[in-house]
Amino acid sequence: MADPLLGRNLGGKFTLESVLGTGAMGAVYRARHVTLDATFAVKVMHEDIATDATFAERFHREARAASRLDHINVIRVVDFGMEPDGILYIVMEYVEGYDLFQVVRRDWPLSEARMVDLLAQALSGVAAAHDMGVVHRDLKPENIMVATRVGDDGVKREVV
């Protein structure tokens, strides 16, 4: 059965194109910003969670706080909202890569140096969030993205 949200536009800006993953809180979609023609990740909360007024208020408060985070190892929150029909969503930068669970499963065993590097980057991002009072309530390998970037020196590196 096709996902009923595919093709839907949220906030008048983001068209949901494909499902990237699902979890206990909701589903994450690859989305296209209609005027910028840019790709974003949009997390849509499950309906039963989104309709809880206490959750919705906490979600908005945490999304505002997360949007102020500016750290190389933290995915940036760029927008959030609630649709008239109650759909609650958060828009994040899109990272082309794999989650840490996939990396470990694919490349096991990882060298000590690689494990330390990846975890140090992840913990650096978590520390920056905690310094701003933001607590990630579902920190696990599936929620840590690993991408390959080319540094200013021309060397490819894994970035969390």
Side-chain angles (χ1 to χ4, degrees):
M1 183 174 145
D3 187 312
L5 292 180
L6 289 178
R8 172 132 181 205
N9 183 281
L10 299 178
K13 299 181 238 180
F14 304 96
T15 301
L16 304 181
E17 296 181 328
S18 64
V19 177
L20 296 173
T22 59
M25 301 291 281
V28 179
Y29 297 84
R30 190 183 76 229
R32 175 78 41 203
H33 190 290
V34 295
T35 55
L36 297 177
D37 193 31
T39 302
F40 290 89
V42 177
K43 184 172 188 176
V44 176
M45 300 300 138
H46 289 309
E47 184 179 352
D48 58 329
I49 296 171
T51 56
D52 179 307
T54 303
F55 175 83
E57 174 53 35
R58 188 179 84 201
F59 173 82
H60 283 162
R61 187 175 56 251
E62 291 179 1
R64 279 191 296 277
S67 72
R68 292 190 293 273
L69 283 171
D70 184 20
H71 189 276
I72 191 167
N73 303 115
V74 176
I75 291 177
R76 171 160 278 181
V77 171
V78 297
D79 201 356
F80 65 93
M82 181 182 283
E83 292 291 284
D85 62 357
I87 290 179
L88 194 60
Y89 66 93
I90 186 167
V91 182
M92 301 162 283
E93 71 176 298
Y94 176 78
V95 175
E96 186 74 43
Y98 300 94
D99 67 49
L100 184 57
F101 183 79
Q102 292 170 314
V103 170
V104 169
R105 188 174 48 194
R106 181 190 70 206
D107 297 344
W108 190 259
L110 277 65
S111 70
E112 281 185 31
R114 187 174 180 200
M115 283 190 280
V116 167
D117 180 51
L118 293 173
L119 290 176
Q121 290 182 65
L123 291 173
S124 180
V126 169
H130 286 190
D131 287 347
M132 291 190 65
V134 177
V135 177
H136 193 299
R137 297 180 186 274
D138 194 21
L139 192 59
K140 59 187 177 186
E142 293 90 333
N143 289 338
I144 298 172
M145 292 300 297
V146 180
T148 302
R149 301 273 195 263
V150 178
D152 293 337
D153 57 3
V155 176
K156 285 185 178 183
R157 291 185 177 82
E158 285 185 314
V159 179
V160 171

